[in-house]
Amino acid sequence: MLSQAVQFLFSGLTLGAIYALVALGFTLIFNASHVINFAQGEFVMIGGMTTVFLVGFGLPMPMAIALAVAAATGIGMALEKLAVEPARQASITTLIIITIGASIFLRGLAQLVWDKKLHALPPFTGDAPIGILGATILPQSLWAMGVGVLLLLALRWFFARTLLGQAMLATANNRMAAQLVGINVRRILLLSFALSAALGAAAGILIAPITLTAYDVGTNIGLKGFAAVMLGGLGSSAGAVLGGLLLGIAEAFGAGYVSSAYKDAFAFVIIMLVLLWMPRGLLGGAAAERV
Amino acid sequence: MLEVPMLDVRGLEARYGPVQVLFGIDLSVAEGELVALIGANGAGKTTLLRTLSGLVRATGGSVAFDGETITAASPERRVRRGITQVPEGRQVFTTISVESNLRLGAYVRGRDEAARDLARVYDLFPALAERRTSLAGELSGGQQQMLAIGRALMARPRLLLLDEPSMGLAPRIAAEILDIVLKLRDSGTTVLLVEQNAAAALEIADRAYVIENGRIAMQGTGAALLDDRQVMSAYLGLD
Ligand SMILES: Nc1ncnc2c1ncn2[C@@H]1O[C@H](COP(=O)(O)OP(=O)(O)OP(=O)(O)O)[C@@H](O)[C@H]1O
Ligand SMILES: [Mg+2]
């Protein structure tokens, strides 16, 4: 009984770490621009697919990963420069629609450059399950959770301790005042797309050995990340992490105890219930825009 | 004037979309001066300051600083050159600590210099020193205004643009803030001050401009405008 619950918890935390990274990507861009970037899932796909193909070309895994993250970051910055920046004067709704267009475009491009098949990335360090408390965990799950935690700590440090991180927070809090202290808010927006894309790509690479990847995995995982954001409270980084973890856990337990056919529905029901009671999400409102 | 004024504004025009707000503003501020800008609600005072700090793009005319044209420069470049605006309504970074607000004020200058200037700002505003770890949003209105001024000083401005620094403050606090403004002028910072309380502004100003519907309607020394009957009745509510 207990071992089963622990088993579900492990898979929930693994998924949750991934959702949290994607949700943080949404949050970074939202805080810099109030735009909800619906191409966020595509960064996840680009990270996973690029790594799969570079490894297929015979590149060592660490190099393939570094290049894939760099590629996604470049695409994120290009998205900001070529699609968002030129439409800066347009309404937020227009900008959001632009990101939806970009996601369709990137998905189509991935299908052209690669293919429509499912691909597996080899696990980073083998696939012999490790036994803990009567349950087993895949080494790749430990990678996902461990790297997820490291990335979170790195982000925390960046926002709390560096002037550039503080400038991002300041821009999120008051864009006009940020300009008045000499912060180039357009560069901050570019940086937020770069960071979001890198986080998304990292998520995509970490999860690819567990759930497989394909040109269209971004749609579902992007939606989950967005749901996590709404659950945690739009604009709150802590909320994004909390929302991601809760969503992952809810999904894993729903799939385990009820039916895996309903795992997505189960998660979304929880979100709707929470939002019914707390329309601004768990950590929305007062905690918004804080890290 | 023999020497070039620090700030030289000629025929400045600005608009929000189709609505023109500034119609050919001529104004100058010499180094070391405290110049006041007064006028009714909606006259264009804030818009003028925003055009000087680069938040609003001029649609006509020119702005020169130290003899160099900066009409099209970004806000960031103007801060680097020495023009800093304290915006109307304080606009502190509410979700960030007092000390971080101040450090962000020195964003264009780098960390080491910021550390030195922090002490100077805390000296000027001891109340801020006591609350350095509080979130700026938790401060009182007067403290937020001090923080907004302190943050601007962290950029080491040569020209400080102040937009209604005493707005919404208790009279005693408002007087304190205006005292600080005088102190800053005396220590060499050039100031362009927009004030709702016209009498108080004219009293401390070397010179002043009256702006009406986006045009300069009058100018003179603070004392002369204080004596002017027209100004008295229009802006001071006295007859
Ligand atoms: N962002 C904006 N968009 C459109 N119109 C604006 C905007 N800001 C100000 N205005 C208009 O421009 C005119 C000048 O406004 P401005 O804020 O410069 O006046 P002000 O002299 O600072 O007034 P106050 O004493 O109330 O602060 C007003 O008619 C105002 O309605
Ligand atoms: Mg105003």
Side-chain angles (χ1 to χ4, degrees), chain A residues 1-14 128-139 141-142 145 253 257:
Chain A
M1 255 342 265
L2 175 71
S3 66
Q4 199 182 34
V6 173
Q7 189 71 56
F8 295 155
L9 187 66
F10 284 156
S11 57
L13 287 174
T14 305
I130 301 163
I132 304 175
L133 295 172
T136 59
I137 187 165
L138 288 173
S141 283
L142 291 178
M145 291 185 235
F253 278 86
Y257 286 124

Side-chain angles (χ1 to χ4, degrees), chain A residues 161 166 173-174 176-177 182, chain B residues 50 76 91 93-94 100 111:
Chain A
R161 293 273 171 264
Q166 293 267 301
N173 179 239
N174 191 324
M176 182 200 34
Chain B
R50 289 164 64 93
E76 179 197 353
Q91 312 287 342
F93 300 118
T94 51
S100 294
R111 286 186 166 235

Side-chain angles (χ1 to χ4, degrees), chain A residues 160-188 286-291, chain B residues 50 53-55 75-76 79-80 83-88 90-97 100-101 103-108 110-111 135 151 155:
Chain A
R161 293 273 171 264
T162 71
L163 192 59
L164 191 58
Q166 293 267 301
M168 281 188 89
L169 292 184
T171 306
N173 179 239
N174 191 324
R175 190 182 162 84
M176 182 200 34
Q179 285 178 286
L180 288 179
V181 297
I183 294 169
N184 183 334
V185 294
R186 282 154 73 176
R187 211 173 297 151
I188 295 288
E289 292 170 10
R290 297 211 60 208
V291 167
Chain B
R50 289 164 64 93
S53 65
L55 288 178
E76 179 197 353
V79 174
R80 286 181 192 280
I83 303 178
T84 303
Q85 183 188 355
V86 179
E88 190 174 62
R90 349 230 205 264
Q91 312 287 342
V92 295
F93 300 118
T94 51
T95 54
I96 295 178
S97 75
S100 294
N101 265 267
R103 286 184 188 282
L104 280 162
Y107 183 75
V108 298
R111 286 186 166 235
L135 294 184
R151 182 181 65 188

Side-chain angles (χ1 to χ4, degrees), chain A:
Chain A
M1 255 342 265
L2 175 71
S3 66
Q4 199 182 34
V6 173
Q7 189 71 56
F8 295 155
L9 187 66
F10 284 156
S11 57
L13 287 174
T14 305
L15 270 180
I18 301 303
Y19 294 160
L21 291 178
V22 180
L24 272 174
F26 275 108
T27 305
L28 285 175
I29 290 179
F30 176 80
N31 280 345
S33 63
H34 289 139
V35 169
I36 299 190
N37 171 34
F38 279 106
Q40 195 62 33
E42 267 45 64
F43 298 147
V44 177
M45 174 274 289
I46 290 166
M49 289 294 280
T50 308
T51 310
V52 164
F53 274 82
L54 290 178
V55 168
F57 282 139
L59 254 66
M61 182 78 96
M63 192 186 284
I65 290 174
L67 285 176
V69 172
T73 306
I75 289 172
M77 289 169 80
L79 171 62
E80 195 278 334
K81 272 277 170 223
L82 303 178
V84 176
E85 172 78 37
R88 203 161 33 95
Q89 308 294 346
S91 70
I92 296 291
T93 319
T94 309
L95 288 171
I96 291 174
I97 291 170
I98 286 175
T99 71
I100 294 175
S103 88
I104 294 170
F105 171 77
L106 288 172
R107 217 156 38 236
L109 195 67
Q111 198 179 325
L112 274 178
V113 173
W114 297 306
D115 54 33
K116 294 173 78 166
K117 283 185 267 189
L118 278 172
H119 295 272
L121 185 64
F124 296 180
T125 49
D127 46 14
I130 301 163
I132 304 175
L133 295 172
T136 59
I137 187 165
L138 288 173
Q140 189 63 32
S141 283
L142 291 178
W143 275 104
M145 291 185 235
V147 174
V149 168
L150 280 183
L151 287 175
L152 280 185
L153 290 177
L155 272 182
R156 259 196 96 83
W157 173 83
F158 172 69
F159 283 117
R161 293 273 171 264
T162 71
L163 192 59
L164 191 58
Q166 293 267 301
M168 281 188 89
L169 292 184
T171 306
N173 179 239
N174 191 324
R175 190 182 162 84
M176 182 200 34
Q179 285 178 286
L180 288 179
V181 297
I183 294 169
N184 183 334
V185 294
R186 282 154 73 176
R187 211 173 297 151
I188 295 288
L189 184 57
L190 186 63
L191 178 65
S192 75
F193 270 84
L195 270 179
S196 294
L199 286 177
I205 296 165
L206 289 167
I207 197 71
I210 301 175
T211 61
L212 306 185
T213 189
Y215 79 101
D216 62 352
V217 294
T219 312
N220 188 47
I221 206 160
L223 210 56
K224 294 290 177 54
F226 178 63
V229 166
M230 296 310 290
L231 181 59
L234 194 55
S236 159
S237 303
V241 174
L242 183 67
L245 290 176
L246 287 180
L247 187 62
I249 290 169
E251 207 176 299
F253 278 86
Y257 286 124
V258 188
S259 156
S260 67
Y262 298 126
K263 70 179 166 73
D264 291 347
F266 193 72
F268 283 109
V269 165
I270 289 189
I271 291 169
M272 294 216 287
L273 287 179
V274 168
L275 291 184
L276 214 55
W277 294 107
M278 306 172 82
R280 311 188 68 171
L282 295 170
L283 300 183
E289 292 170 10
R290 297 211 60 208
V291 167

Side-chain angles (χ1 to χ4, degrees), chain B residues 40-47 88 163-164 167 194 196:
Chain B
N41 285 338
K45 306 180 293 294
T46 295
T47 306
E88 190 174 62
D163 198 346
E164 305 208 21
M167 185 171 66
V194 167
Q196 196 84 94

Side-chain angles (χ1 to χ4, degrees), chain B residues 9-23:
Chain B
V9 178
R10 301 233 173 127
L12 194 67
E13 296 180 6
R15 51 174 67 236
Y16 295 107
V19 184
Q20 184 158 357
V21 174
L22 299 182
F23 299 85

